[in-house]
Amino acid sequence: MNTTSSRPTHLRTWLITGATSGIGRELTLQALKNGDTVAALARDTSPLDELAQAHGERLLLIRADVRDERAVRDAVEGTVARFGRIDVVANNAGYGLFGAVEEASDPQARAVFDTNVFGVLNVLRATLPVLRAQRSGHILQGSSVYGQSAHPGVGLLAATKYAVEGLSDALAAEIAPLGIKVTIIQPGMTATPFLANLDVAAGLSDYDRTVRQVQKGIGELPPSAFSAAERIAAGIRTAVDSPNPPLRLALGASSTTAMRPALEARIADLEGWQHLTEAVDSP
Ligand SMILES: NC(=O)c1ccc[n+]([C@@H]2O[C@H](COP(=O)([O-])OP(=O)(O)OC[C@H]3O[C@@H](n4cnc5c(N)ncnc54)[C@H](OP(=O)(O)O)[C@@H]3O)[C@@H](O)[C@H]2O)c1
């Protein structure tokens, strides 16, 4: 059934992955509050059952693991069958792996890429045909402060987010001529179950003074160090409402505090070693 014809044009249809918890849940709640329609994807949608009872017509719960390409395609088909279109794709599902780069096992490293990178690709391949046919849409790519910066313990997590940022840079240029926007979402530390859901790699004592110190420091952070998930979701919605949304959106003070020095250090290396950069092309 296509419900779009009777819908006010300012209302949107969202497809949100990882919609049961944290930032995804907040995005879902706020979109519904705004009058929008939402296809909420999660491996277990039961945490949203009550919400679905309250918003039956406008909330479609779909059980889908983003690692399962077939399930994601079916979810997108179900969304279009129900709502007729997709305006915003929030590629939000993801989790963290904490530990030194050397400590992460091969299965742990592959698993975090499976969800955080290949899951994102599954969602893109399933939704882009819909957005291309519409010649409209906005894709929100779930990155992080770790999409542009990293410190001991987050190497594998950052590797997934850097991957998302790299593919998103190309994607944005590929689909802008087709009327589709991309915004890379870079939250800082946010108060969600993210830390409780972390996978943690086995500890080697040589990393006690780096990785374990960072781990201890994160564990001791006061609640004030974390942004509220509802404020992050509200920030995302403001960007979606903008006629000219940014390609990258840092959200929360901890995001810029970490990313700015990392970005400045890259420029400093580029400029500080320019003589060598140019020397390789000199006759
Ligand atoms: N919290 C932070 O400090 C922070 C900072 C920067 C970026 N982020 C990013 O923000 C996004 C949301 O994280 P959050 O903080 O809201 O964490 P969260 O509360 O743990 O929520 C993560 C969501 O992703 C879902 N998910 C995980 N693996 C999945 C899979 N294979 N298939 C489908 N859904 C899956 C989870 O559902 P299940 O119940 O199925 O596991 C859950 O709904 C993530 O991409 C994260 O990297 C978070």
Side-chain angles (χ1 to χ4, degrees):
M1 181 181 65
N2 186 336
T3 59
T4 51
S5 53
S6 56
R7 232 172 29 137
T9 50
H10 64 281
L11 296 181
R12 299 185 174 92
T13 295
W14 297 66
L15 183 141
I16 301 174
T17 66
T20 49
S21 177
I23 296 168
R25 182 181 170 85
E26 277 302 325
L27 270 179
T28 301
L29 292 172
Q30 292 182 23
L32 290 171
K33 200 170 170 194
N34 187 51
D36 294 348
T37 48
V38 179
L41 275 62
R43 287 180 291 186
D44 172 13
T45 55
S46 60
L48 297 179
D49 280 348
E50 266 184 40
L51 203 62
Q53 277 169 15
H55 297 277
E57 282 292 293
R58 292 191 291 115
L59 176 60
L60 176 63
L61 301 186
I62 305 176
R63 277 178 198 262
D65 187 324
V66 293
R67 296 170 297 184
D68 180 344
E69 183 169 24
R70 183 72 251 168
V72 172
R73 281 193 191 282
D74 288 349
V76 171
E77 273 175 29
T79 303
V80 175
R82 172 79 166 266
F83 299 131
R85 59 183 293 114
I86 300 173
D87 300 300
V88 186
V89 176
N91 235 330
N92 164 76
Y95 74 94
L97 168 57
F98 193 89
V101 170
E102 181 188 352
E103 290 172 327
S105 69
D106 183 66
Q108 283 177 311
R110 287 179 191 277
V112 76
F113 268 83
D114 246 0
T115 294
N116 292 10
V117 180
F118 292 103
V120 163
L121 286 170
N122 283 338
V123 172
L124 290 175
R125 282 194 301 267
T127 54
L128 276 169
V130 178
L131 306 192
R132 283 190 292 105
Q134 293 172 179
R135 288 293 194 262
S136 71
H138 194 163
I139 297 173
L140 306 172
Q141 293 284 72
S143 182
S144 160
V145 55
Y146 299 131
Q148 293 286 336
S149 64
H151 55 65
V154 299
L156 269 302
L157 170 59
T160 66
K161 298 301 186 182
Y162 276 55
V164 167
E165 296 224 359
L167 72 89
S168 300
D169 278 333
L171 176 74
E174 289 162 2
I175 61 182
L178 307 176
I180 307 165
K181 299 168 188 169
V182 176
T183 298
I184 300 166
I185 308 297
Q186 302 168 313
M189 307 283 277
T190 307
T192 71
F194 183 83
L195 288 179
N197 291 335
L198 269 186
D199 186 10
V200 180
L204 296 170
S205 59
D206 273 350
Y207 296 109
D208 282 353
R209 292 174 58 196
T210 50
V211 174
R212 242 58 67 195
Q213 276 301 316
V214 170
Q215 193 172 4
K216 187 164 169 282
I218 292 174
E220 290 169 357
L221 284 172
S224 59
F226 296 83
S227 302
E230 54 265 42
R231 301 290 289 276
I232 299 292
I236 293 170
R237 288 181 51 249
T238 301
V240 168
D241 283 340
S242 164
N244 292 305
L247 175 56
R248 284 184 166 74
L249 180 65
L251 289 167
S254 61
S255 185
T256 47
T257 302
M259 284 198 295
R260 186 180 293 280
L263 293 171
E264 286 170 354
R266 276 176 217 171
I267 295 293
D269 277 349
L270 206 61
E271 291 177 352
W273 288 83
Q274 200 170 347
H275 56 288
L276 187 53
T277 305
E278 288 168 4
V280 300
D281 295 327
S282 300

